[in-house]
Amino acid sequence: MKILMTSETYFPIIWWAEWHIYYLKKKLEEQGIEVILYTTTPWTSKLDSLNIIRNEFDKISSFFSNFKQIFTLSKDVDIIHSHYSYKLALVSWLVSILRRKPFIITQHWFWLLDPQYSTWLLFKIIFKTCRYFSMKISDRVISTSDDLKGFCLKYVNKNKIIDITNWYDDTIFRLSNNINKSITNWLPTFITIRRFAKKNWIHILIDILSEYKKKYWDFKYYMIWYWALEKEIFLRIKEYWLENNIIHIMNSDHKELVGYLNKSDIVFFPSSAESTSLSCIEAMWMKKIIVASRVWWLIQLIWKNEERGYFLDLYDWTSSNYNCPMKISDEKIILAADNISNIIESKNGNIEKTNNAYDFVKANYTWDIIAKKTIILYNDLIK
């Protein structure tokens, strides 16, 4: 079997979908399936393997060069499999029609919801056109979370949607070397692994940690990532005099990330919108204490009665919401800071929850499973 896989983004850009694509390609190849990955991220990466072809799609005229290359590459493939429903997906869909090949889309939130970051009318028209046609005419849509599935139902019949969630790499994310140790009350260590996007609410976490420091004690915080709200976040850090508490790491590969997770006591996920959180699954596998907002897929991971971690009630909604405010009430900030202090003091509760989280992830999430489910789908489509 031979697959042509396409994705707008890939390494060295690292959002969580890139890891999904990386591991899926790797596991499919281990099963003897040839995978050609075509991406419009032009820069090479140290993680590049065989059969990765890079191009650019930064202007309308690029459509024709990408169409020509994808058409040529698709000559002898069995399936065309796109990630996201944007420009490359539209091109891939057109090629699949001409080649009479099955066409699959995997959705990862980005380039699925209406964009909040651009007011340019032409962009919105292109975006919505690509999304509509690539989704509507696809043979199957792979949803990586239940929340995503609900959005996909606006475009395709439920019989077309296949649920295949994200997974973790158990060869890299291993049990933490400080599990079941008491948190050092005088200097607890926190970590986030989130882009500085509005929906990830790192700016709100800064407000909460400022209140925590004012009411309780000092802390160390590894803030991993960057992006759109970087200026706003660093203005708040300066305003609250937190420069000595926060270590900002622009980016990190998986092995470096494991080192920072090992040094940390609590992993925060304050997002207002979340599909299958791969980074949360990885932290649960390492038996880290998870403190998350009570929104869709994070509820599925932590579970309703906090069996596998803790919730901070930051929002007035539980479904994913990208249109979130820049501030929350003082009452919610104070309550969140108090809850963090209580979590730090709860040694027995932390041990029980991290054990539950580890058992849950071990039973449900490995990349071998995603490859097997994907191969079953491929075989079903080429019969």
Side-chain angles (χ1 to χ4, degrees):
M1 190 186 301
K2 187 174 181 179
I3 309 299
L4 174 59
M5 196 172 289
T6 71
S7 175
E8 254 86 13
T9 60
Y10 194 60
F11 303 137
I13 295 172
I14 302 180
W15 300 341
W16 295 112
E18 285 65 46
W19 285 113
H20 176 110
I21 296 163
Y22 169 81
Y23 283 115
L24 176 59
K25 182 176 185 295
K26 178 182 177 183
K27 291 297 181 179
L28 290 174
E29 288 170 340
E30 288 176 3
Q31 296 297 316
I33 295 173
E34 184 179 352
V35 181
I36 301 170
L37 175 61
Y38 185 91
T39 179
T40 46
T41 298
W43 316 287
T44 58
S45 165
K46 63 182 180 181
L47 290 170
D48 280 0
S49 58
L50 294 174
N51 288 340
I52 294 180
I53 297 166
R54 296 178 180 270
N55 203 348
E56 295 187 64
F57 207 153
D58 55 351
K59 48 193 174 184
I60 295 175
S61 59
S62 302
F63 176 92
F64 298 101
S65 66
N66 282 284
F67 178 87
K68 182 179 179 181
Q69 198 157 5
I70 291 174
F71 186 81
T72 301
L73 290 169
S74 65
K75 181 179 179 181
D76 59 347
V77 303
D78 298 292
I79 287 176
I80 300 175
H81 183 169
S82 287
H83 293 264
Y84 307 118
S85 51
Y86 192 37
K87 294 178 293 186
L88 266 188
L90 185 68
V91 173
S92 300
W93 162 67
L94 289 171
V95 170
S96 74
I97 296 295
L98 293 171
R99 290 288 193 190
R100 298 186 179 182
K101 307 284 186 182
F103 177 60
I104 301 170
I105 289 180
T106 295
Q107 292 290 8
H108 306 275
W109 272 124
F110 198 53
W111 286 311
L112 177 61
L113 295 185
D114 290 341
Q116 303 291 325
Y117 49 84
S118 177
T119 57
W120 191 33
L121 180 60
L122 180 58
F123 171 79
K124 290 186 175 182
I125 293 171
I126 293 171
F127 174 88
K128 291 183 178 184
T129 301
C130 292
R131 178 179 63 189
Y132 179 84
F133 284 104
S134 62
M135 291 275 284
K136 202 78 176 173
I137 315 299
S138 62
D139 293 291
R140 294 290 188 278
V141 174
I142 296 174
S143 168
T144 51
S145 77
D146 285 343
D147 209 10
L148 275 173
K149 183 177 181 178
F151 195 86
C152 293
L153 285 169
K154 295 180 180 180
Y155 300 93
V156 295
N157 186 286
K158 65 180 181 180
N159 295 327
K160 272 192 175 184
I161 302 173
I162 308 296
D163 296 311
I164 304 179
T165 57
N166 286 317
W167 314 91
Y168 68 95
D169 186 344
D170 59 0
T171 65
I172 295 177
F173 291 90
R174 304 188 180 195
L175 282 178
S176 177
N177 58 16
N178 63 350
I179 55 172
N180 296 346
K181 289 184 180 179
S182 298
I183 297 175
T184 306
N185 286 10
W186 61 271
L187 192 65
T189 303
F190 310 136
I191 188 171
T192 55
I193 313 136
R194 319 302 295 148
R195 289 179 292 121
F196 294 172
K198 194 175 180 182
K199 69 99 177 175
N200 283 331
W201 273 41
I202 302 301
H203 53 292
I204 299 298
L205 182 60
I206 298 299
D207 294 344
I208 294 167
L209 293 181
S210 171
E211 179 67 23
Y212 171 84
K213 183 176 180 179
K214 184 167 64 177
K215 286 189 70 174
Y216 296 102
W217 205 248
D218 227 349
F219 64 88
K220 182 189 291 186
Y221 168 29
Y222 292 110
M223 185 173 66
I224 299 179
W225 227 285
Y226 60 96
W227 213 39
L229 286 182
E230 192 165 345
K231 184 177 179 180
E232 171 67 26
I233 287 168
F234 281 97
L235 282 173
R236 295 193 190 193
I237 290 170
K238 187 175 182 179
E239 176 187 347
Y240 297 137
W241 297 81
L242 296 178
E243 294 98 326
N244 293 329
N245 295 93
I246 296 174
I247 301 169
H248 179 218
I249 296 126
M250 287 288 288
N251 215 329
S252 177
D253 66 25
H254 270 22
K255 290 181 180 178
E256 292 169 340
L257 183 57
V258 168
Y260 291 120
L261 283 165
N262 271 324
K263 297 175 185 177
S264 303
D265 300 304
I266 292 176
V267 188
F268 284 110
F269 295 92
S271 309
S272 67
E274 195 70 62
S275 55
T276 309
S277 180
L278 179 54
S279 51
C280 186
I281 292 169
E282 290 161 347
M284 292 169 75
W285 171 249
M286 292 181 67
K287 288 195 176 183
K288 306 308 298 184
I289 300 167
I290 308 297
V291 178
S293 52
R294 198 186 295 266
V295 297
W296 193 258
W297 191 255
L298 292 171
I299 297 173
Q300 312 303 310
L301 293 176
I302 306 303
W303 207 229
K304 299 171 185 177
N305 295 317
E306 300 183 308
E307 288 92 337
R308 301 186 282 266
Y310 298 93
F311 289 122
L312 296 179
D313 290 307
L314 304 176
Y315 316 117
D316 299 323
W317 60 81
T318 55
S319 60
S320 288
N321 185 349
Y322 276 65
N323 189 24
C324 50
M326 292 298 289
K327 288 280 188 180
I328 59 174
S329 67
D330 291 343
E331 291 78 10
K332 286 186 176 181
I333 287 173
I334 292 168
L335 180 60
D338 291 342
N339 286 341
I340 291 169
S341 177
N342 293 335
I343 291 166
I344 289 170
E345 295 175 3
S346 179
K347 181 184 177 184
N348 291 333
N350 293 341
I351 293 172
E352 179 183 359
K353 290 176 191 296
T354 55
N355 285 338
N356 289 343
Y358 172 81
D359 292 340
F360 171 74
V361 169
K362 185 178 181 181
N364 292 281
Y365 297 97
T366 68
W367 282 103
D368 290 320
I369 296 173
I370 189 174
K372 288 176 183 176
K373 288 184 175 181
T374 305
I375 291 169
I376 289 171
L377 173 59
Y378 289 164
N379 284 328
D380 184 52
L381 287 174
I382 61 178
K383 282 180 181 176

